Amino acid sequence: PNLDHYNLIIALSDASRKVFPKPPTKVIGLDWQCEDPSAVEGSDNKKRVAFEETYQYITTHLQDLSEAILGDQID
């Protein structure tokens, strides 16, 4: 398919998915559930680790998605 004709919506939680209206045709929706790092309680180090883990989770998923869509076109 011609990917220029599609939109991609990525929801990171149930709450974020509810914000988006029902997608029209030619929209691809992905549901990447991850914990909200801002909800973590505890020491500054524990909070920092939660944000880093969430960042790594999203980064890895975006890299995998880019490779799946673009294949060898990624530099």
Side-chain angles (χ1 to χ4, degrees), residues 6-32:
Y6 285 82
N7 292 298
L8 177 65
I9 297 173
I10 301 171
L12 299 177
S13 67
D14 290 336
S16 65
R17 189 175 352 98
K18 292 176 185 175
V19 172
F20 296 114
K22 184 162 177 76
T25 59
K26 296 194 178 186
V27 171
I28 299 168
L30 299 177
D31 191 4
W32 296 345

Side-chain angles (χ1 to χ4, degrees), residues 1 3 8 28 30 32 59-74:
L3 296 177
L8 177 65
I28 299 168
L30 299 177
W32 296 345
T59 299
T60 300
H61 278 67
L62 286 172
Q63 288 172 342
D64 291 346
L65 177 62
S66 296
E67 289 174 12
I69 292 171
L70 300 174
D72 294 335
Q73 297 176 26
I74 298 176

Side-chain angles (χ1 to χ4, degrees), residues 22-51:
K22 184 162 177 76
T25 59
K26 296 194 178 186
V27 171
I28 299 168
L30 299 177
D31 191 4
W32 296 345
Q33 294 288 315
C34 61
E35 298 296 321
D36 181 357
S38 67
V40 171
E41 296 181 9
S43 68
D44 287 346
N45 188 52
K46 185 174 181 178
K47 293 176 185 179
R48 188 173 19 262
V49 167
F51 275 94

